Structures are given as structure tokens and as C-alpha cells.
Amino acid sequence: MTGRVVAIAKGGAGVVRDGARTVFIPGTIAGETVEFTVCGKRRSAWQGTLQRVLEASPRRVDPPCPHYGECGGCNLQHMSYDEQLRSKAGILAANLKRIARVEEMEIPAFLASPGERFRSKVEFQVRGGRAGFFARHSHRVVSVAGCLLLPQAVESFFLARRPLLAAAENARLQVVSNGRDLAARLEPAAGGEEWLGPRRTVRIAIGPDEYRFAPDHFVQSNLFQLQPMLGLLEGVLERERPDTAADLFCGAGFFTLPLARHCRQVAAVESDARSIEALRANLGRSQARNVRVQRADVLRAGLPPAELTVVDPPRGGLTERVIAALAAGPARIVVYFSCDSATFARDLRMFNRHGYVLEEWQPIDNFPHSDHFEIFSLLKKAR
């Protein structure tokens, strides 16, 4: 069949209208005319396979990775970087219109990122003699010859150990890096762990704050965006000067440390035991004595009262209960870092319903070559 790509959808596929059907076709760019095959439904949506580009976009490029299209890690490498950001802005605008019911909202320019060597953390998969990454929509492992997203030290480390790793029947290798040093942990499916190398954590210093992260801790994914993300929060803290703050889904304390420097009292809430241990160690190194640490599931527990609350949830976002609890308490300011534009749009609508107004926001390209991105937003209670 032949059709024109009208937009790029969340997930990175192009949207083609075929009569009454909407078909999603990976590997395309908005504005292109393509020949495709309809290959069935996935999650109730029609899926297509690109056969040929009949009228190519001038922003189509040769993917820099030889594994592109097979490896499941990237889905926008066939676009120039400017076109990737245009596509992400379109995804964000579409979700705001469809889910948040915001008809006209100007999308700020993305905070751009270098397209290579940016990943702070990676998880390699080992299956049946192969070591690499999962193929798209599969648990089959693609044995990669490298990855441009990884710091050079991590790529070299993996390639040097790939023959040894491939001997494992079923395992995953978690690696965290600051761009120079790395810590690596091999976890066989049968249980246990093996540390590959002398380090169990890596040090990341950002301004006056020093963090140490292990391979199994949550770390913001893009090394080049760590400082800009903290800069956005620091700007809010310097302008608003809150007395008390809460950091929900705080992990190992990426946002907790600057909150502790600016506020008299901070509550940090996290459910993962290993992250709590790392948080306490990071707070100890910074000599922050004004932070109360609570191990709890934010989506189910009571929320600590605070004038300013930072939320950085997983892709599933928040819930009506959490947003209602924030609105019922003293949280006049909410700083929301979201990694999913659909749940951000849903939550924005709920925040508005509970009396919060979006005062400032900024999309951040933490994930070049994929359709994912981060969103910083500042929400304030309407007076």
C-alpha cells in the first residue's frame, strides 16, 4: 500500500491514514510518501512494515549504527537530529491536545544533547552465547559490535569481555559510568552477582555536590544533562526560597542534595532499599543533616508536608490520590520531572483540576535517537 506520513507517534513510528484505519510504520519521517505492508495489530493498533520510501524527507540520514533497525535501543536514527527534536515536539503537542485537552500550547525549544557517548548507565543482556541488547519487541539478543551511545570506556570494557560474557547461559550486565570510570555488576539469572573490576560505585560531582552511584541504582540517563537538570531546580529554589521541601521518588538523592543546601528541612521518600542506602551515604558525604529519610511507596504512603515538593516518578507517573494529597497540604510549589509525555499530560490535567497552574516548563532531550525525552515543569497553586 502507499500513503503519506502525517506525524510521528509516541513509540517513534510514522502515522499513515489508510481510509478508516490508522497505521503505524517505523522507520519513517513526517511528510514522506512510503510504500508499506499492513502486518496486523499490536495492542489494538494497526502496525505496518516499511517497504520503500517513495518521496524521502530531506532530513532523512544514514543511521550511524550498523545494528539500527534490529537492536531495540534506538528508533529515530534515520532522522537528522533537528528532525528528531521536531518529532518529539510533535509527540508532546499531540499528547497535550489529546490527553490534557490543551488545544494551543507553545512547546519550548528542547534542551539538546550530544548524540554520542551520553549514557550514564547501561544494561547488557546475555542469552545462549550472545551478549548485547534485546532486539525490538523481543527477548532475542542482538550481539552488538559496539554502541555509540555509551562512553568510550564502557564500550571498550564490554567489547573486551564479550567472549567471556557470551559463555554465560542467561545473565545481565549492569554498568554505570561517569564518562571515565565505571562499575560493572554481572547478575546471572540463577542468582548471585559478580563484580567485574575494582569499583562498586562511580563518583559524579556536579557543582558543590558529590554523588556515588552503583550499577543497580537509578541514575539520570544522560551525563550531559545532569548539570542542566539541576540548574532548572536551582533556579526555582533561588527564586522561591522555600523553607521546607520534599523529594518524592528520590532515589540516591540527585535532587535531595541541592534541596538540602537551600532549605531548612527536607523529607526524602524512596521505596528501594539499595537506593536508600546510597542516599544516606551521599547525604553523609555532603554533611547534610537536615534531611529526614523515609522508606515508603509514594503512590500508597502518606506524603510529608512541605512548601515545595519535587516529584520524579517512573514512566507510570503519579495518581489522583497523590496529586490530591499535594493539593490538600502546604505544597504551594511542585517541581515535576516526567519521563513520559502521555502520563505527564494526564497528570497535568489532574494538577489543573486540583488548583495548580503550569508556570514554567522545559522539555529535555535525555535520549537522543529515541522518541523518549524528559520534561521539567513548575506548577504553583493558584492564588
Side-chain angles (χ1 to χ4, degrees):
M1 306 186 74
T2 300
R4 186 172 179 81
V5 181
V6 297
I8 301 299
K10 186 173 183 292
V15 178
V16 174
R17 313 288 186 200
D18 170 35
R21 292 188 301 187
T22 297
V23 185
F24 297 90
I25 307 168
T28 58
I29 301 176
E32 291 188 326
T33 301
V34 298
E35 187 178 89
F36 63 97
T37 304
V38 178
C39 52
K41 283 188 174 182
R42 185 170 61 247
R43 298 176 183 171
S44 76
W46 289 101
Q47 306 296 316
T49 300
L50 176 65
Q51 299 298 327
R52 191 158 52 114
V53 178
L54 301 177
E55 294 179 18
S57 166
R59 300 182 181 93
R60 177 172 284 275
V61 299
D62 292 330
C65 176
H67 305 290
Y68 182 65
E70 183 182 15
C71 173
C74 297
N75 56 14
L76 300 184
Q77 278 195 15
H78 60 286
M79 301 179 183
S80 68
Y81 187 59
D82 284 350
E83 184 62 23
Q84 290 183 29
L85 295 184
R86 269 189 287 270
S87 297
K88 294 183 188 193
I91 292 168
L92 178 53
N95 280 330
L96 287 169
K97 182 176 181 179
R98 180 175 60 89
I99 301 170
R101 299 182 184 175
V102 176
E103 288 296 327
E104 296 295 334
M105 192 167 180
E106 184 177 350
I107 308 296
F110 274 68
L111 285 183
S113 166
E116 298 182 2
R117 311 302 181 192
F118 61 84
R119 290 286 305 198
S120 61
K121 185 178 172 182
V122 62
E123 187 172 287
F124 298 100
Q125 305 295 332
V126 182
R127 297 282 192 283
R130 290 175 172 265
F133 301 118
F134 284 139
R136 191 174 307 282
H137 306 306
S138 168
H139 280 180
R140 178 179 63 84
V141 171
V142 178
S143 183
V144 297
C147 176
L148 294 173
L149 311 190
L150 306 181
Q152 188 64 61
V154 176
E155 183 182 64
S156 300
F157 172 87
F158 168 71
L159 293 177
R161 287 158 181 79
R162 188 171 56 171
L164 175 65
L165 294 171
E169 183 61 29
N170 189 343
R172 63 176 182 168
L173 173 64
Q174 296 174 308
V175 184
V176 64
S177 172
N178 58 14
R180 302 174 305 279
D181 307 316
L182 61 88
R185 175 177 175 264
L186 182 66
E187 185 181 86
E193 64 181 15
E194 179 184 352
W195 291 89
L196 307 182
R199 292 185 179 85
R200 298 203 172 194
T201 62
V202 295
R203 174 183 176 272
I204 297 178
I206 306 171
D209 296 319
E210 179 184 321
Y211 306 84
R212 290 191 182 272
F213 294 104
D216 55 343
H217 296 153
F218 171 76
V219 187
Q220 298 292 339
S221 62
N222 191 312
L223 290 167
F224 300 114
Q225 299 287 28
L226 297 178
Q227 180 68 66
M229 290 179 73
L230 286 184
L232 289 167
L233 176 59
E234 294 263 10
V236 174
L237 294 171
E238 288 168 3
R239 291 193 306 271
E240 301 294 339
R241 300 186 178 279
D243 185 54
T244 58
D247 188 6
L248 310 184
F249 310 95
C250 67
F254 182 64
F255 297 121
T256 313
L257 267 60
L259 288 173
R261 284 191 286 103
H262 285 270
C263 304
R264 179 181 59 82
Q265 189 174 16
V266 178
V269 185
E270 171 59 48
S271 61
D272 180 69
R274 293 193 182 195
S275 294
I276 288 281
E277 182 181 353
L279 169 64
R280 292 188 188 279
N282 286 330
L283 290 171
R285 273 186 290 272
S286 69
Q287 300 183 349
R289 298 181 177 87
N290 59 337
V291 178
R292 180 170 58 86
V293 178
Q294 177 186 357
R295 185 182 176 191
D297 182 349
V298 171
L299 299 180
R300 294 179 174 84
L303 303 185
E307 186 181 352
L308 179 146
T309 296
V310 176
V311 289
D312 184 16
R315 292 195 189 279
L318 301 174
T319 64
E320 180 97 36
R321 188 198 71 82
V322 170
I323 294 170
L326 288 168
R332 67 178 181 89
I333 304 164
V334 176
V335 175
Y336 185 180
F337 286 92
S338 170
C339 58
D340 187 282
S341 60
T343 56
F344 170 75
R346 178 203 66 198
D347 292 350
L348 178 61
R349 190 176 172 202
M350 289 193 287
F351 271 113
N352 289 340
R353 199 159 57 230
H354 284 279
Y356 285 92
V357 176
L358 180 64
E359 186 167 288
E360 178 186 344
W361 66 312
Q362 175 66 64
I364 307 164
D365 191 21
N366 271 12
F367 309 93
H369 306 308
S370 85
D371 66 295
H372 299 296
F373 51 92
E374 194 90 11
I375 305 163
F376 156 84
S377 61
L378 170 63
L379 298 131
K380 298 178 76 170
K381 272 186 183 175
R383 295 181 184 272

